[in-house]
Amino acid sequence: MPYVYDCDSPPGGSLHELTALMGGKAANLTVMSRDLGLPVPPAFTITTAACREYLANGWPAGLDAELRQHMARMEALVGRRFGDPADPLLVSVRSGAPVSMPGMMDTILNLGLNDATTAGLAKASGSPAFAANCRSRFEAMYRDIVGEAAPDDPWAQLRSAVEAVFRSWNSDRARAFRRREGIPDVHGTAVTVQAMVYGNRSVDSGTGVLFTRNPASGVPELYGDFLFNAQGEDVVSGTHATEPISIIDERMPEVGRQLRAAVDRLERHHRDLCDIEFTVEHGRLWLLQCRIGKRSPLAALRIAIDMAEDPSFELTRAEAVERVRDLLANPPTVQAKRPASGPPIASGLPASPGVAAGEVVVEPNAAVAAADAGRKVVLVRSETSPDDVHGMAASVGILTASGGLASHAAVVARGWGIPAVVGAAGIRLDGDGFTCDGRRFAVGDTITVDGGTGEVFAGVVAGEITVAPEAAILLEWARELGIEVGEASAAPNESVPAGEPGEAAGSGEALAEDAVLTVLLVKGYASADAVAAALLAPPDAAMAALDGLLATGLAEEAVGSVRLTDAGKRAAHEAVERTAAAWGRPAAEAALDTFLDLDARMKATVTAWQLREVGGEQIINDHTDAAYDGRVLADLAALHGDAAAWLEPLVGGLPRLATYVTRLEHANAAAQAGDGRFVASPRVDSYHSVWFELHEDLILHAGRTRADEVAAGRA
């Protein structure tokens, strides 16, 4: 059986069988080129069978010959030769597993360049600057992905790139992703090699990513980003200001017409929202990828209705209901317009959308007690810390006097979907309540926070919450069709740590008491699972350590977790003093000082992940804009690289920092692999959660307090 197939001439079989053999990316190229006749650059695919053979026995016999055979066909189709110094054919190399595994490997563009072919590209294009730009992009991508400088021989470049993709199947990141998603390890990944088309060639060239409908609202309009005179990574890197898709209609109307026609054909073929990557070269449209696009719950409902009501889509009402059945089990709600309620008593930053009304509480324990008694409360704090999370979780809303959109309160509230207003500078806490503009609100008084506008009101002013109209329509269809909509499946236990058990301690190893005390001091409250995640230890070892602290009175049970008693806090501070003395206080202070620049980047990255700017206003990021999320994840990856390099030399002075290195690596890998919770969700060992604890640890070892750091504008 061959190891290589042309995407416009694949073997026989169903789309499912093609996807298993050629990967999802190549199967979609086959649909566009062979089935729909859309403009797709020539491509061939090295199959998953070749990957499995390589991983088991090394480079497959005969694969080199097949690569040359299929490259020769590509050369004939495009009229250029691979490695030709006069007018070279360049290719892109992309991974493509049968089941989508985002983040496993990036694309290599412009493969085939060396000194001779770069000179040839410059002469053939008439632009040395264009050729030099392609060369620098290729060399940077090659170093990042293959891990070495590119050789001069284009065929050696191609083989090394293919091997790098094959090896990536067994990378830690890919293995972790497959474990979470339940994907078998036996599949392997395909590799797609495609002729380059150049969006960076001229002012009538460009590259873009679009959704065939607005993925946030479901409105039938093109939604996405385009960038003139650019290549694909420019759109998602965050380094360039993109333009809306409508700019194509204005500046290249014929391309716009062709693009809309292609969009219509793809939507009707798939009968669903599509996510499309494309390039325009010298005014000619090329489609590079198409997949079913992600969308918000409300958009999913609207799209299902619109397509079922449009006879040209051939989507029945029964199919529409089945498509969104899980959403209908717990239908989305919308909020009626808030009634007029007079001026707000305070205003701050709209940190987490939604409107919530409840009694004022100023202590997290009081929030828990009130919630246990069935009362709704709004937790009001100067700023929150890990010590407050149990109270935050028990509250219907959160209000803080200080902090920005990347503050602890803002990030945790957004992660939990709790309406929150932060940085309301006009309020002053005074023990058992707060004052604002001369008016005092005591514990027990009722206030309303609007996390969408940043306003705070006296009393209850929230509007009526109703089931989304789209959900009501689909529920009625389900009733008429006799389709039973059951309860939504329970969410998985999100407290499971990201780290691999046993990396810091074996299952039979006892955890050092000082280490557990320090974890509890940093976290405030922690379960055995959370302690295990922090120390990269088995949960049973963490549970045994906590049982020991409970038995000696250094810890106590509280709200389903464990916290230090006063005696335990004294013992924990003594443990910190011992490690700080061994490290050296000046070294600890210097580490904290150099951490601040990285911390500013972290705050900006988390804020960008949870909020994005539209029309000059910050709105909640619903993660339907894949290009935007890609830019933020790229920023996180860059930050992680710098943070890891910064942390590495510090581990010698304070060995416990090694656990943060590993936890941050796990969180970044999970986020890059497609699990967005691991950017900032407080329910998992996310990057932000680990980062916040690292900051707290540094503050403690430098002999400072977070309150002092906040007051000094350093936290």
Side-chain angles (χ1 to χ4, degrees), residues 540-682:
D540 58 348
M543 180 63 76
L546 292 179
D547 286 343
L549 295 181
L550 291 168
T552 57
L554 295 179
E556 61 187 1
E557 294 185 2
V559 291
S561 296
V562 174
R563 67 181 178 188
L564 294 174
T565 61
D566 289 342
K569 290 179 181 178
R570 289 193 295 271
H573 280 290
E574 290 170 1
V576 169
E577 286 300 317
R578 286 191 287 271
T579 53
W583 188 11
R585 186 73 77 189
E589 292 175 343
L592 178 59
D593 290 340
T594 56
F595 174 79
L596 297 180
D597 286 342
L598 292 169
D599 190 48
R601 288 171 58 188
M602 181 62 196
K603 286 182 168 66
T605 301
V606 170
T607 299
W609 181 253
Q610 295 184 326
L611 300 171
R612 60 189 175 97
E613 189 171 302
V614 176
E617 295 184 1
Q618 293 270 16
I619 66 169
I620 198 73
N621 181 18
D622 57 11
H623 304 295
T624 56
D625 187 337
Y628 176 86
D629 279 0
R631 293 194 294 268
V632 180
L633 288 173
D635 289 342
L636 179 65
L639 170 65
H640 176 67
D642 292 342
W646 170 80
L647 265 172
E648 185 176 358
L650 300 181
V651 171
L654 186 61
R656 62 175 277 101
L657 294 178
T659 60
Y660 291 109
V661 176
T662 303
R663 293 169 67 197
L664 289 171
E665 176 61 35
H666 286 159
N668 178 60
Q672 301 296 334
D675 193 336
R677 298 176 305 163
F678 282 88
V679 177
S681 173

Side-chain angles (χ1 to χ4, degrees), residues 430-613:
D430 57 9
D432 61 349
F434 69 91
T435 58
C436 183
D437 197 23
R439 184 175 179 182
R440 191 172 189 282
F441 292 82
V443 167
D445 291 342
T446 299
I447 62 172
T448 297
V449 294
D450 187 335
T453 67
E455 296 171 312
V456 184
F457 298 88
V460 178
V461 297
E464 181 183 0
I465 301 294
T466 61
V467 172
E470 296 86 354
I473 292 171
L474 286 156
L475 286 168
E476 178 61 19
W477 289 0
R479 187 190 65 77
E480 293 173 354
L481 294 165
I483 299 175
E484 196 171 316
V485 179
E487 294 185 2
S489 59
N493 182 352
E494 295 187 327
S495 66
V496 177
E500 295 295 328
E503 289 181 274
S507 59
E509 240 179 283
L511 296 180
E513 183 177 273
D514 279 5
V516 180
L517 286 169
T518 304
V519 166
L520 290 175
L521 184 62
V522 167
K523 284 180 169 290
Y525 287 75
S527 64
D529 279 346
V531 172
L535 296 176
L536 305 177
D540 58 348
M543 180 63 76
L546 292 179
D547 286 343
L549 295 181
L550 291 168
T552 57
L554 295 179
E556 61 187 1
E557 294 185 2
V559 291
S561 296
V562 174
R563 67 181 178 188
L564 294 174
T565 61
D566 289 342
K569 290 179 181 178
R570 289 193 295 271
H573 280 290
E574 290 170 1
V576 169
E577 286 300 317
R578 286 191 287 271
T579 53
W583 188 11
R585 186 73 77 189
E589 292 175 343
L592 178 59
D593 290 340
T594 56
F595 174 79
L596 297 180
D597 286 342
L598 292 169
D599 190 48
R601 288 171 58 188
M602 181 62 196
K603 286 182 168 66
T605 301
V606 170
T607 299
W609 181 253
Q610 295 184 326
L611 300 171
R612 60 189 175 97
E613 189 171 302

Side-chain angles (χ1 to χ4, degrees), residues 6-19 22 24-40 262 265-266 268-270 287 290:
D6 295 310
C7 288
D8 63 348
S9 183
S14 66
L15 181 61
H16 175 76
E17 291 169 328
L18 289 181
T19 300
M22 300 172 63
K25 190 179 298 292
N28 286 328
L29 292 178
T30 294
V31 169
M32 290 195 292
S33 60
R34 183 193 66 177
D35 300 342
L36 301 179
L38 294 172
V40 176
R265 293 196 67 185
L266 286 166
R268 293 181 190 284
H269 177 84
H270 291 288
L287 301 179
C290 176

Side-chain angles (χ1 to χ4, degrees), residues 357-382:
E359 301 175 14
V360 170
V361 293
V362 296
E363 295 293 338
N365 289 344
V368 173
D372 287 344
R375 305 199 310 274
K376 295 181 178 180
V377 296
V378 175
L379 178 62
V380 184
R381 302 284 280 170
S382 293

Side-chain angles (χ1 to χ4, degrees), residues 117-459:
T117 55
T118 301
L121 182 63
K123 184 176 180 180
S125 66
S127 175
F130 160 69
N133 180 263
C134 290
R135 178 76 176 276
S136 65
R137 291 172 184 268
F138 163 63
E139 290 181 339
M141 288 182 175
Y142 192 95
R143 278 195 304 271
D144 288 344
I145 294 169
V146 184
E148 59 188 32
D152 287 335
D153 181 4
W155 289 101
Q157 295 173 10
L158 179 61
R159 175 163 172 166
S160 294
V162 171
E163 288 184 296
V165 178
F166 285 164
R167 289 194 301 270
S168 72
W169 179 255
N170 282 331
S171 67
D172 291 342
R173 176 183 300 176
R175 286 180 176 275
F177 183 87
R178 292 199 295 274
R179 281 197 300 271
R180 281 195 303 276
E181 299 295 319
I183 300 172
D185 287 330
V186 298
H187 288 330
T189 182
V191 183
T192 299
V193 179
Q194 190 167 38
M196 282 296 304
V197 289
Y198 304 100
N200 62 327
R201 190 156 189 169
S202 57
V203 293
D204 61 347
S205 303
T207 187
V209 178
L210 67 81
F211 290 86
T212 55
R213 299 183 183 221
N214 187 313
S217 66
V219 172
E221 61 186 7
L222 297 191
Y223 179 98
D225 298 306
F226 187 76
L227 194 58
F228 285 100
N229 203 14
Q231 286 195 327
E233 75 275 12
D234 298 330
V235 175
V236 298
S237 67
T239 58
H240 298 72
T242 58
E243 299 190 73
I245 292 295
S246 59
I247 195 67
I248 301 174
D249 297 311
E250 298 175 19
R251 292 177 53 177
M252 295 186 292
E254 177 58 23
V255 173
R257 185 194 65 76
Q258 295 171 8
L259 180 63
R260 291 178 185 278
V263 162
D264 187 67
R265 293 196 67 185
L266 286 166
E267 258 208 346
R268 293 181 190 284
H269 177 84
H270 291 288
R271 303 185 307 161
D272 208 344
L273 168 74
C274 296
D275 175 2
I276 300 170
E277 300 171 18
F278 65 99
T279 285
V280 179
E281 181 183 28
H282 275 323
R284 183 175 182 182
L285 174 67
W286 295 98
L287 301 179
L288 305 181
Q289 179 59 292
C290 176
R291 61 179 69 86
I292 302 301
K294 296 180 180 179
R295 76 293 307 270
S296 71
L298 286 175
L301 298 177
R302 172 164 181 171
I303 291 168
I305 292 171
D306 286 352
M307 290 186 176
E309 296 285 72
D310 184 342
S312 66
F313 272 95
E314 300 181 355
L315 184 75
T316 67
R317 287 188 172 186
E319 289 171 322
V321 171
E322 290 292 346
R323 178 177 288 181
V324 295
R325 189 171 180 176
D326 288 345
L327 292 175
L328 296 177
N330 185 18
T333 58
V334 294
Q335 186 167 28
K337 183 175 177 64
R338 191 184 64 229
S341 55
I345 60 169
S347 61
L349 297 173
S352 182
V355 178
E359 301 175 14
V360 170
V361 293
V362 296
E363 295 293 338
N365 289 344
V368 173
D372 287 344
R375 305 199 310 274
K376 295 181 178 180
V377 296
V378 175
L379 178 62
V380 184
R381 302 284 280 170
S382 293
E383 166 56 1
T384 63
S385 75
D387 283 342
D388 300 328
V389 293
H390 60 298
M392 298 170 73
S395 303
V396 297
I398 296 168
L399 170 64
T400 69
S402 62
L405 293 176
S407 65
H408 179 267
V411 172
V412 172
R414 288 194 295 267
W416 279 341
I418 301 172
V421 175
V422 302
I427 71 171
R428 296 287 184 273
L429 277 84
D430 57 9
D432 61 349
F434 69 91
T435 58
C436 183
D437 197 23
R439 184 175 179 182
R440 191 172 189 282
F441 292 82
V443 167
D445 291 342
T446 299
I447 62 172
T448 297
V449 294
D450 187 335
T453 67
E455 296 171 312
V456 184
F457 298 88

